[in-house]
mmCIF file of all heavy atoms in Angstrom:
data_model
loop_
_atom_site.group_PDB
_atom_site.id
_atom_site.type_symbol
_atom_site.label_atom_id
_atom_site.label_comp_id
_atom_site.label_asym_id
_atom_site.label_seq_id
_atom_site.Cartn_x
_atom_site.Cartn_y
_atom_site.Cartn_z
ATOM 1 N N LEU A 15 -1.164 11.861 -4.128
ATOM 2 C CA LEU A 15 -2.367 11.155 -4.562
ATOM 3 C C LEU A 15 -2.495 9.842 -3.802
ATOM 4 O O LEU A 15 -1.842 8.850 -4.137
ATOM 5 C CB LEU A 15 -2.299 10.892 -6.066
ATOM 6 C CG LEU A 15 -2.008 12.115 -6.945
ATOM 7 C CD1 LEU A 15 -1.809 11.683 -8.393
ATOM 8 C CD2 LEU A 15 -3.132 13.137 -6.837
ATOM 9 N N PRO A 16 -3.335 9.793 -2.759
ATOM 10 C CA PRO A 16 -3.461 8.571 -1.968
ATOM 11 C C PRO A 16 -4.337 7.525 -2.633
ATOM 12 O O PRO A 16 -5.333 7.859 -3.292
ATOM 13 C CB PRO A 16 -4.116 9.068 -0.671
ATOM 14 C CG PRO A 16 -4.983 10.202 -1.135
ATOM 15 C CD PRO A 16 -4.202 10.872 -2.255
ATOM 16 N N THR A 17 -3.974 6.261 -2.478
ATOM 17 C CA THR A 17 -4.872 5.192 -2.891
ATOM 18 C C THR A 17 -6.050 5.158 -1.913
ATOM 19 O O THR A 17 -5.948 5.662 -0.786
ATOM 20 C CB THR A 17 -4.159 3.835 -2.864
ATOM 21 O OG1 THR A 17 -3.789 3.536 -1.504
ATOM 22 C CG2 THR A 17 -2.917 3.840 -3.751
ATOM 23 N N PRO A 18 -7.184 4.563 -2.300
ATOM 24 C CA PRO A 18 -8.320 4.465 -1.369
ATOM 25 C C PRO A 18 -7.947 3.783 -0.058
ATOM 26 O O PRO A 18 -8.386 4.215 1.016
ATOM 27 C CB PRO A 18 -9.341 3.651 -2.166
ATOM 28 C CG PRO A 18 -9.034 3.967 -3.596
ATOM 29 C CD PRO A 18 -7.540 4.082 -3.655
ATOM 30 N N ALA A 19 -7.116 2.742 -0.129
ATOM 31 C CA ALA A 19 -6.718 2.036 1.090
ATOM 32 C C ALA A 19 -5.896 2.937 1.995
ATOM 33 O O ALA A 19 -6.066 2.937 3.224
ATOM 34 C CB ALA A 19 -5.934 0.774 0.737
ATOM 35 N N PHE A 20 -4.988 3.699 1.413
ATOM 36 C CA PHE A 20 -4.160 4.596 2.220
ATOM 37 C C PHE A 20 -5.022 5.683 2.848
ATOM 38 O O PHE A 20 -4.850 6.023 4.019
ATOM 39 C CB PHE A 20 -3.061 5.221 1.356
ATOM 40 C CG PHE A 20 -2.087 6.047 2.156
ATOM 41 C CD1 PHE A 20 -0.929 5.472 2.650
ATOM 42 C CD2 PHE A 20 -2.334 7.387 2.434
ATOM 43 C CE1 PHE A 20 -0.024 6.221 3.402
ATOM 44 C CE2 PHE A 20 -1.444 8.140 3.181
ATOM 45 C CZ PHE A 20 -0.277 7.558 3.665
ATOM 46 N N ARG A 21 -5.951 6.246 2.075
ATOM 47 C CA ARG A 21 -6.798 7.318 2.582
ATOM 48 C C ARG A 21 -7.603 6.842 3.786
ATOM 49 O O ARG A 21 -7.639 7.496 4.829
ATOM 50 C CB ARG A 21 -7.746 7.811 1.493
ATOM 51 C CG ARG A 21 -8.670 8.948 1.943
ATOM 52 C CD ARG A 21 -9.685 9.315 0.877
ATOM 53 N NE ARG A 21 -9.057 9.654 -0.384
ATOM 54 C CZ ARG A 21 -9.092 8.883 -1.470
ATOM 55 N NH1 ARG A 21 -9.719 7.712 -1.438
ATOM 56 N NH2 ARG A 21 -8.511 9.259 -2.569
ATOM 57 N N ARG A 22 -8.223 5.674 3.661
ATOM 58 C CA ARG A 22 -9.048 5.173 4.770
ATOM 59 C C ARG A 22 -8.188 4.882 5.998
ATOM 60 O O ARG A 22 -8.569 5.222 7.116
ATOM 61 C CB ARG A 22 -9.808 3.923 4.335
ATOM 62 C CG ARG A 22 -10.764 3.435 5.422
ATOM 63 C CD ARG A 22 -11.641 2.278 5.002
ATOM 64 N NE ARG A 22 -12.556 1.957 6.077
ATOM 65 C CZ ARG A 22 -13.871 2.035 6.009
ATOM 66 N NH1 ARG A 22 -14.446 2.453 4.892
ATOM 67 N NH2 ARG A 22 -14.623 1.715 7.034
ATOM 68 N N ALA A 23 -7.040 4.245 5.783
ATOM 69 C CA ALA A 23 -6.153 3.925 6.909
ATOM 70 C C ALA A 23 -5.670 5.202 7.594
ATOM 71 O O ALA A 23 -5.573 5.262 8.828
ATOM 72 C CB ALA A 23 -4.974 3.098 6.423
ATOM 73 N N ALA A 24 -5.365 6.225 6.810
ATOM 74 C CA ALA A 24 -4.887 7.481 7.380
ATOM 75 C C ALA A 24 -5.976 8.140 8.225
ATOM 76 O O ALA A 24 -5.711 8.635 9.326
ATOM 77 C CB ALA A 24 -4.434 8.423 6.267
ATOM 78 N N LEU A 25 -7.197 8.141 7.727
ATOM 79 C CA LEU A 25 -8.294 8.739 8.481
ATOM 80 C C LEU A 25 -8.569 7.957 9.757
ATOM 81 O O LEU A 25 -8.844 8.543 10.809
ATOM 82 C CB LEU A 25 -9.547 8.812 7.610
ATOM 83 C CG LEU A 25 -9.488 9.775 6.426
ATOM 84 C CD1 LEU A 25 -10.724 9.642 5.558
ATOM 85 C CD2 LEU A 25 -9.335 11.219 6.902
ATOM 86 N N GLU A 26 -8.493 6.637 9.681
ATOM 87 C CA GLU A 26 -8.698 5.815 10.865
ATOM 88 C C GLU A 26 -7.616 6.070 11.905
ATOM 89 O O GLU A 26 -7.894 6.180 13.105
ATOM 90 C CB GLU A 26 -8.725 4.331 10.487
ATOM 91 C CG GLU A 26 -9.998 3.903 9.781
ATOM 92 C CD GLU A 26 -9.961 2.437 9.363
ATOM 93 O OE1 GLU A 26 -8.841 1.890 9.211
ATOM 94 O OE2 GLU A 26 -11.044 1.852 9.193
ATOM 95 N N SER A 27 -6.380 6.175 11.468
ATOM 96 C CA SER A 27 -5.261 6.327 12.398
ATOM 97 C C SER A 27 -5.317 7.639 13.169
ATOM 98 O O SER A 27 -4.861 7.717 14.305
ATOM 99 C CB SER A 27 -3.928 6.216 11.649
ATOM 100 O OG SER A 27 -3.725 7.342 10.800
ATOM 101 N N ARG A 28 -5.885 8.667 12.545
ATOM 102 C CA ARG A 28 -5.955 9.952 13.249
ATOM 103 C C ARG A 28 -7.337 10.239 13.808
ATOM 104 O O ARG A 28 -7.616 11.346 14.255
ATOM 105 C CB ARG A 28 -5.506 11.076 12.316
ATOM 106 C CG ARG A 28 -6.388 11.331 11.117
ATOM 107 C CD ARG A 28 -5.679 12.252 10.134
ATOM 108 N NE ARG A 28 -6.565 12.718 9.076
ATOM 109 C CZ ARG A 28 -6.132 13.176 7.914
ATOM 110 N NH1 ARG A 28 -4.843 13.208 7.668
ATOM 111 N NH2 ARG A 28 -6.985 13.622 7.011
ATOM 112 N N GLY A 29 -8.203 9.219 13.805
ATOM 113 C CA GLY A 29 -9.504 9.347 14.440
ATOM 114 C C GLY A 29 -10.504 10.211 13.702
ATOM 115 O O GLY A 29 -11.491 10.658 14.291
ATOM 116 N N GLY A 30 -10.274 10.426 12.422
ATOM 117 C CA GLY A 30 -11.161 11.310 11.680
ATOM 118 C C GLY A 30 -12.122 10.616 10.735
ATOM 119 O O GLY A 30 -12.845 11.276 9.992
ATOM 120 N N LEU A 31 -12.141 9.265 10.783
ATOM 121 C CA LEU A 31 -12.948 8.538 9.807
ATOM 122 C C LEU A 31 -14.436 8.879 9.919
ATOM 123 O O LEU A 31 -15.119 9.043 8.906
ATOM 124 C CB LEU A 31 -12.732 7.030 9.980
ATOM 125 C CG LEU A 31 -13.330 6.127 8.896
ATOM 126 C CD1 LEU A 31 -12.699 6.430 7.547
ATOM 127 C CD2 LEU A 31 -13.128 4.655 9.245
ATOM 128 N N TRP A 32 -14.930 9.013 11.155
ATOM 129 C CA TRP A 32 -16.359 9.261 11.365
ATOM 130 C C TRP A 32 -16.632 10.696 11.804
ATOM 131 O O TRP A 32 -17.736 11.016 12.222
ATOM 132 C CB TRP A 32 -16.906 8.288 12.406
ATOM 133 C CG TRP A 32 -16.785 6.864 11.988
ATOM 134 C CD1 TRP A 32 -15.799 5.988 12.325
ATOM 135 C CD2 TRP A 32 -17.669 6.142 11.121
ATOM 136 N NE1 TRP A 32 -16.009 4.774 11.718
ATOM 137 C CE2 TRP A 32 -17.139 4.831 10.981
ATOM 138 C CE3 TRP A 32 -18.855 6.475 10.446
ATOM 139 C CZ2 TRP A 32 -17.762 3.858 10.195
ATOM 140 C CZ3 TRP A 32 -19.470 5.516 9.669
ATOM 141 C CH2 TRP A 32 -18.929 4.221 9.551
ATOM 142 N N GLN A 33 -15.644 11.560 11.711
ATOM 143 C CA GLN A 33 -15.785 12.915 12.224
ATOM 144 C C GLN A 33 -16.954 13.655 11.581
ATOM 145 O O GLN A 33 -17.714 14.352 12.261
ATOM 146 C CB GLN A 33 -14.492 13.692 12.003
ATOM 147 C CG GLN A 33 -14.488 15.091 12.617
ATOM 148 C CD GLN A 33 -13.130 15.763 12.489
ATOM 149 O OE1 GLN A 33 -12.245 15.278 11.795
ATOM 150 N NE2 GLN A 33 -12.970 16.889 13.160
ATOM 151 N N ILE A 34 -17.093 13.538 10.279
ATOM 152 C CA ILE A 34 -18.211 14.176 9.575
ATOM 153 C C ILE A 34 -19.402 13.232 9.496
ATOM 154 O O ILE A 34 -20.523 13.599 9.848
ATOM 155 C CB ILE A 34 -17.782 14.616 8.164
ATOM 156 C CG1 ILE A 34 -16.751 15.743 8.240
ATOM 157 C CG2 ILE A 34 -18.995 15.075 7.342
ATOM 158 C CD1 ILE A 34 -16.194 16.156 6.891
ATOM 159 N N ALA A 35 -19.154 12.015 9.051
ATOM 160 C CA ALA A 35 -20.248 11.059 8.845
ATOM 161 C C ALA A 35 -21.021 10.784 10.131
ATOM 162 O O ALA A 35 -22.237 10.581 10.103
ATOM 163 C CB ALA A 35 -19.691 9.750 8.287
ATOM 164 N N GLY A 36 -20.320 10.798 11.268
ATOM 165 C CA GLY A 36 -20.969 10.509 12.541
ATOM 166 C C GLY A 36 -21.956 11.563 12.984
ATOM 167 O O GLY A 36 -22.719 11.341 13.935
ATOM 168 N N ARG A 37 -21.975 12.688 12.320
ATOM 169 C CA ARG A 37 -22.907 13.769 12.672
ATOM 170 C C ARG A 37 -24.142 13.774 11.761
ATOM 171 O O ARG A 37 -24.918 14.724 11.761
ATOM 172 C CB ARG A 37 -22.183 15.115 12.594
ATOM 173 C CG ARG A 37 -21.068 15.254 13.617
ATOM 174 C CD ARG A 37 -20.102 16.371 13.266
ATOM 175 N NE ARG A 37 -20.777 17.656 13.116
ATOM 176 C CZ ARG A 37 -20.279 18.693 12.467
ATOM 177 N NH1 ARG A 37 -19.097 18.582 11.860
ATOM 178 N NH2 ARG A 37 -20.948 19.819 12.384
ATOM 179 N N THR A 38 -24.319 12.720 10.989
ATOM 180 C CA THR A 38 -25.483 12.593 10.116
ATOM 181 C C THR A 38 -26.424 11.515 10.658
ATOM 182 O O THR A 38 -26.086 10.786 11.589
ATOM 183 C CB THR A 38 -25.073 12.209 8.678
ATOM 184 O OG1 THR A 38 -24.601 10.843 8.676
ATOM 185 C CG2 THR A 38 -23.971 13.121 8.163
ATOM 186 N N SER A 39 -27.590 11.382 10.032
ATOM 187 C CA SER A 39 -28.555 10.369 10.454
ATOM 188 C C SER A 39 -28.211 8.983 9.913
ATOM 189 O O SER A 39 -28.774 7.987 10.366
ATOM 190 C CB SER A 39 -29.967 10.760 9.995
ATOM 191 O OG SER A 39 -30.055 10.748 8.568
ATOM 192 N N ASN A 40 -27.307 8.911 8.964
ATOM 193 C CA ASN A 40 -26.912 7.642 8.353
ATOM 194 C C ASN A 40 -25.392 7.641 8.158
ATOM 195 O O ASN A 40 -24.898 7.851 7.052
ATOM 196 C CB ASN A 40 -27.640 7.451 7.019
ATOM 197 C CG ASN A 40 -27.490 6.047 6.471
ATOM 198 O OD1 ASN A 40 -26.526 5.331 6.780
ATOM 199 N ND2 ASN A 40 -28.443 5.625 5.641
#
């Protein structure tokens, strides 16, 4: 169970933070 801070840091570290969101209009 990741904390919100851990989840965001983990996604950033592996380059996946914008993987889905970056394919939207916003």
Side-chain angles (χ1 to χ4, degrees):
L15 308 173
T17 64
F20 186 93
R21 180 186 305 108
R22 185 174 183 118
L25 292 174
E26 286 177 337
S27 69
R28 65 192 190 201
L31 189 62
W32 298 97
Q33 185 174 10
I34 293 175
R37 295 162 57 200
T38 70
S39 66
N40 191 335

